[in-house]
Amino acid sequence: NAGAEIGIFTGSYQLSVTHSTQTFTSEVEPNDLPNQATIITNGTYFGGTVPSDIDYYQINGLTAGQSLAVSLVGNTPSNIQISLLDSNNDTIATDFLSQGLVRVLPSSGNYRLKVTGSGGVVAFYLAAISVRNVSGTLLTNNDFATAQSLGTGPQLLPVAGRLTSLTSAQVY
């Protein structure tokens, strides 16, 4: 409705929920070192057990400017930490709040994920990875008229943009 506050809408609507089969990759031991990383692909769910060890995963052939998102799903405990490593095994992003991470990739190549746990609690984790191309129009979607479409379908949808002030907004 015109003039309505953001998030408050009236009238009829329809919600559709779909389900699709996703690929799951379980950690393959040994994967405790970067050169032993379990290979995963875009759109894959992956999981293992920590903190009995460190788990590494690798996704190959990524392109600079793509957005990589990792989401912890299900009942994954809060003691899980995921770090994104570049091809030199340098950490370029870390999730400290067990919420996952999103990073626009600075260079083309292979990337690794390092999954660790803390607190001495051995727990199973489940995560999902999604890589998307980021269009140059993402920075101009600051109102409903210029909202960036995220598409449809059962997939993770990482979002990349930049807030330029405390009052700026991105609309998707």
Side-chain angles (χ1 to χ4, degrees):
N1 290 342
E5 294 180 38
I6 294 175
I8 299 176
F9 300 95
T10 59
S12 300
Y13 66 92
Q14 181 178 4
L15 174 66
S16 297
V17 178
T18 60
H19 175 270
S20 69
T21 304
Q22 298 291 326
T23 302
F24 174 77
T25 300
S26 182
E27 64 174 321
V28 178
E29 295 290 355
N31 70 335
D32 304 335
L33 299 171
N35 65 347
Q36 299 170 329
T38 300
I39 303 297
I40 57 176
T41 58
N42 187 20
T44 300
Y45 284 86
F46 60 95
T49 304
V50 292
S52 56
D53 63 355
I54 297 172
D55 294 336
Y56 285 92
Y57 297 88
Q58 181 168 311
I59 184 163
N60 296 323
L62 301 180
T63 303
Q66 288 182 310
S67 174
L68 181 142
V70 179
S71 301
L72 293 166
V73 295
N75 293 322
T76 297
S78 62
N79 69 322
I80 302 299
Q81 178 179 324
I82 297 178
S83 298
L84 177 63
L85 311 177
D86 64 14
S87 58
N88 296 318
N89 294 318
D90 294 326
T91 301
I92 61 170
T94 300
D95 162 40
F96 289 105
L97 301 174
S98 296
Q99 299 297 311
L101 60 87
V102 176
R103 172 67 190 237
V104 175
L105 302 175
S107 60
S108 297
N110 302 332
Y111 285 82
R112 292 189 176 109
L113 299 170
K114 177 182 178 182
V115 183
T116 58
S118 63
V121 177
V122 176
F124 178 78
Y125 63 88
L126 178 63
I129 187 166
S130 177
V131 178
R132 288 178 52 111
N133 292 324
V134 177
S135 77
T137 61
L138 285 176
L139 299 178
T140 63
N141 54 324
N142 56 3
D143 60 32
F144 287 109
T146 59
Q148 175 72 36
S149 173
L150 295 177
T152 59
Q155 57 187 336
L156 289 174
L157 298 172
V159 174
R162 178 177 47 167
L163 299 175
T164 56
S165 72
L166 292 176
T167 59
S168 64
Q170 297 285 293
V171 181
Y172 298 91

